Amino acid sequence: MAHLPSLISDLALILLIASVITLLFKWLKQPVVLGYIVAGMLAGHNIGLNPTVVDTDNIQIWADIGVMFLLFTLGLEFSFKKLTEVGKSGLLIVMVELCGMLTFGFLIGRILGWKPLDSLLLGGMISLSSTTIIIKAFNDLKLKKRKFSTMVFATLVVEDLVAVVMMVLISTLAVSKNFSGEDMLFALLKLVFFLIIWFMLGIFLIPTFLKKLRPLLNDETLLIVSLGLCLGMVVLAVKVGFSAALGAFIMGSILAETFEVERIEKLTKPLKDFFGAIFFVSVGMMVDMNVIVQFIWPIVIISLVTMLGKLVFVSAGVFISGQSLKTSMQSGFSMAQIGEFAFILAGLGMSLGVTGSHLHPIVIAVSVITVFCAPYMMKLSGPAYLFVLKGMPERWKILLNKREQKKTQTKQPGDWFLLLKSYFLYLIELSVLILGVLIVSDKYLAPFLEARIPQGIWADILVLLIALLVISPFLRALTHNRSKYSGLMLNLWTAKASNRIYLILLTAIRMILAYSAILYLMFRYLPLPTVLIIPIGVVLLVFILRSKMLMKRYWRLEARFMINLNERQMEENLRKIEANQGVRNIRDMHEAHWLDNLLYTFCLRIEDGSLLIGKALKELNFREEFNLIVIRVERNKIKNNVPDGNFVLEKGDILRMAGHNLVYTLIRDEELKLNFVPDSLMTLNAFSHQETQLKSPRLSCSGIPIRKESPLAGKKLVDSGLMSVNKCLVIGMEREKKRIINPDSDQEILPCDLVWVIGEEKQVSILISENVYHL
């Protein structure tokens, strides 16, 4: 008989015990995670039952894979977009919670006689609530749609990011062997740098990659591709000095921005459940009952401090953020537990030798107690609020009622705040990208070419040319005044003379950074004296400043990034609107939209003697006369997209029209002398698909869901700036199942409208960002 590997017998034992225990816990209506931990305790060596796991090393490897998949799926639910959406509220709540729990944890640890580092890490671990447990409890108790759940999820999103930072700090401590402020700062800057690089490259490349392969992505291939990307990022993260869990989390958060995220979540759930179960079982296997008995009072104390502290500090944070007392207390009671991140951090600290061996079992025991109490704490929030309200002095009740009834008056931020916020975000993004290219050139490209080109000088020159070619669009963007804040700069320039020196300084900083990048490459790879390199660098900078080609190249890159970043949210918003309007399948809508049945696009060429020659578009009233709009005028093979009303027509111009299929009405008008361009008549959907094949600035058609906070909400089309500012044309609107083709300029845009626009791809993506994502 063939020998059975110990790994298989160990897995059989683990799964059999886990299946019995988890069914029991399910029957008792307790969290399944606790069942896995108990199963691990029974399967491990510490209890003394037979049989037990033989090869713990192999099980630990499987558990490590479980951590990766657990973090990967948490990343799929995280999304960097969600982090921007929760905004100040989530950050404020976590700041209050983190300060309070770090202080409590540190004090408790020191009182118990622990080392300062163990005490500090204890405070960090008890700050992190269990996303898995809270979501499960909310579903079981049907609390997911309650108002306070929004605040809880906002807090969990920020807590996930805090956990990522803590993983990096623990890894740094393991390397440096001491708590150094410089090392911590360097680790945080390194984390921010790689997060920006990975996020921007991931959003630019991966959604496009998945869209190109969409016809080939059935469930099997999508699962393999997703896991390949996950493990590939794991390897990359470890190579640059981060943990494998962080790499899995980052890839999950990148895939969370793609349109395939729901399928990926569904396909990877069985893997997450299986490997996650092994991870939690392995956690239970490490529980030593002797240690638990030895530290029983610290466990009880830390459990009470965790539940009470999180209840108080989360409630305080939610209350400070502007919520009612009831919502605040419900949020605090819901988050009074710790879970999977505490396991992971404690295990990471122990494996790297950063923390004492006692901390891991204590954290596990505290987690078991707090998770067991979690559903009861959630149910207790309502009676606790009534009890507090009943015992509250009447004066306090009056103040609370005034606070809750008072309408929040949102103070508009000043021009300086808006300018500096946009300026520094843009500066950091571009600087990180440029720095990333310089690092890749130094660390990888230069050694690669020098090993293959005998004469080193030619290898250096080639590295210089490639690096300059790659960063030149970013340098051009760095020196360019973005339309988003050029108006703010103009307002500040004219408002006060003293503002001008600061505005000049801001511009000078961008120029200096761009010039510094050029000089670095030239000094690094060009063997010329300084007196020659400095003027050559100035010439290159001037060339980059004046290059329209580089600006267009950057705009195309930015447009592709914005479209990929916004695609999933757009699809979700469209799905909600279509659901309200009775459309069953959004994908069917995209493939054969109602606009395709009512709106066509076609080309007409202006011939000699036409009455249109010499007239501006605003004089011709195509929209009023024929319900048509001119979306492009091609002249001498140059495409003028979305021309304004002052555009004057000439002989030979080719007009790309959009509207009802009235092409034959126009052709029959002999005075107009317009010739139909063969094969140019097509549906709007077909035209949009054709445009994606163009390399020049192309037109894009998209629907924009309007919310109450959207800048367009409540404005008439004529006052919206869609044409004058954004260079986009409105071709249709949907409102409460009513569909309007080429709406009049007096038409008002209302919340819940779906406004269909056509314009250059970059402008459409900016519109989407301004009206959907920055709110």
Side-chain angles (χ1 to χ4, degrees), residues 552-553 555-556 559 632 634 637-641 690-700 760-762:
K552 289 180 179 179
R553 184 179 169 193
W555 281 340
R556 285 198 293 271
R632 171 184 287 159
E634 184 173 345
K637 297 185 178 181
I638 298 176
K639 296 181 176 69
N640 298 282
N641 292 326
Q690 183 187 73
E691 283 292 293
T692 61
Q693 312 302 318
L694 297 179
K695 293 183 179 179
S696 58
R698 51 199 178 204
L699 293 173
S700 175
E760 287 193 353
E761 196 174 46
K762 178 179 184 295

Side-chain angles (χ1 to χ4, degrees), residues 473-601:
F474 305 119
L475 293 176
R476 180 66 182 91
L478 186 62
T479 58
H480 176 71
N481 280 332
R482 296 193 77 189
S483 58
K484 190 170 183 177
Y485 60 74
S486 57
L488 293 172
M489 292 188 72
L490 182 61
N491 292 341
L492 292 168
W493 183 274
T494 55
K496 204 173 181 181
S498 58
N499 288 341
R500 298 179 182 180
I501 184 65
Y502 301 110
L503 295 174
I504 293 172
L505 180 62
L506 291 177
T507 303
I509 290 172
R510 293 187 285 116
M511 299 297 172
I512 291 171
L513 286 175
Y515 186 52
S516 299
I518 295 172
L519 286 183
Y520 172 80
L521 285 174
M522 295 184 68
F523 277 116
R524 175 71 175 78
Y525 298 108
L526 204 59
L528 292 176
T530 303
V531 292
L532 291 179
I533 287 180
I534 290 176
I536 293 174
V538 172
V539 172
L540 282 174
L541 180 63
V542 172
F543 170 78
I544 291 171
L545 280 169
R546 298 177 62 86
S547 175
K548 293 181 179 179
M549 178 192 69
L550 290 176
M551 199 68 242
K552 289 180 179 179
R553 184 179 169 193
Y554 173 77
W555 281 340
R556 285 198 293 271
L557 295 173
E558 187 185 59
R560 172 53 52 198
F561 177 83
M562 292 299 298
I563 289 171
N564 288 347
L565 180 64
N566 297 331
E567 186 174 44
R568 179 198 170 191
Q569 189 68 42
M570 274 297 301
E571 187 165 331
E572 289 179 355
N573 289 333
L574 286 172
R575 185 183 289 112
K576 292 176 184 177
I577 291 176
E578 292 299 324
N580 294 333
Q581 296 179 357
V583 176
R584 293 183 180 178
N585 192 327
I586 190 169
R587 297 196 187 279
D588 293 341
M589 180 206 77
H590 281 302
E591 292 169 5
H593 193 268
W594 63 269
L595 285 171
D596 280 351
N597 301 321
L598 299 174
L599 191 68
Y600 291 77
T601 176

Side-chain angles (χ1 to χ4, degrees), residues 147 315-316 318-320 322-329 384-408:
K147 181 181 179 182
S315 299
V318 176
F319 188 77
I320 293 171
Q323 300 299 316
S324 66
L325 178 63
K326 183 178 181 180
T327 300
S328 302
M329 290 187 65
Y385 166 71
L386 295 176
F387 176 78
V388 171
L389 198 63
K390 185 178 179 180
M392 187 179 294
E394 286 298 323
R395 184 186 173 192
W396 290 13
K397 292 181 183 179
I398 294 171
L399 291 174
L400 279 177
N401 288 332
K402 287 182 178 180
R403 178 181 182 271
E404 293 174 13
Q405 292 174 2
K406 185 179 179 181
K407 293 183 178 179
T408 56

Side-chain angles (χ1 to χ4, degrees), residues 373-511:
C373 296
Y376 305 103
M377 293 288 287
M378 292 179 187
K379 292 177 182 178
L380 192 61
S381 62
Y385 166 71
L386 295 176
F387 176 78
V388 171
L389 198 63
K390 185 178 179 180
M392 187 179 294
E394 286 298 323
R395 184 186 173 192
W396 290 13
K397 292 181 183 179
I398 294 171
L399 291 174
L400 279 177
N401 288 332
K402 287 182 178 180
R403 178 181 182 271
E404 293 174 13
Q405 292 174 2
K406 185 179 179 181
K407 293 183 178 179
T408 56
Q409 298 177 351
T410 55
K411 184 180 178 181
Q412 293 295 329
D415 285 350
W416 269 115
F417 175 82
L418 295 174
L419 173 64
L420 292 176
K421 178 184 175 183
S422 178
Y423 176 89
F424 283 110
L425 284 176
Y426 196 53
L427 193 69
I428 291 170
E429 292 169 4
L430 292 173
S431 299
V432 167
L433 287 172
I434 293 169
L435 183 59
V437 174
L438 298 182
I439 292 174
V440 170
S441 299
D442 275 353
K443 299 291 184 181
Y444 301 102
L445 182 60
F448 176 81
L449 292 178
E450 287 170 359
R452 286 159 179 78
I453 299 177
Q455 295 180 334
I457 180 62
W458 293 111
D460 288 344
I461 291 175
L462 189 56
V463 172
L464 173 66
L465 293 176
I466 293 173
L468 278 175
L469 186 65
V470 174
I471 68 172
S472 56
F474 305 119
L475 293 176
R476 180 66 182 91
L478 186 62
T479 58
H480 176 71
N481 280 332
R482 296 193 77 189
S483 58
K484 190 170 183 177
Y485 60 74
S486 57
L488 293 172
M489 292 188 72
L490 182 61
N491 292 341
L492 292 168
W493 183 274
T494 55
K496 204 173 181 181
S498 58
N499 288 341
R500 298 179 182 180
I501 184 65
Y502 301 110
L503 295 174
I504 293 172
L505 180 62
L506 291 177
T507 303
I509 290 172
R510 293 187 285 116
M511 299 297 172

Side-chain angles (χ1 to χ4, degrees), residues 81 85 257-259 562-578 586 589-590 701-706 754-757 764-765 767-773:
K81 294 291 293 180
E85 289 170 4
E257 309 298 346
T258 68
F259 55 85
M562 292 299 298
I563 289 171
N564 288 347
L565 180 64
N566 297 331
E567 186 174 44
R568 179 198 170 191
Q569 189 68 42
M570 274 297 301
E571 187 165 331
E572 289 179 355
N573 289 333
L574 286 172
R575 185 183 289 112
K576 292 176 184 177
I577 291 176
E578 292 299 324
I586 190 169
M589 180 206 77
H590 281 302
C701 178
S702 182
I704 302 177
I706 303 298
L754 182 61
V755 179
W756 285 88
V757 300
V764 171
S765 65
L767 257 183
I768 293 171
S769 178
E770 291 175 347
N771 288 275
V772 179
Y773 309 111

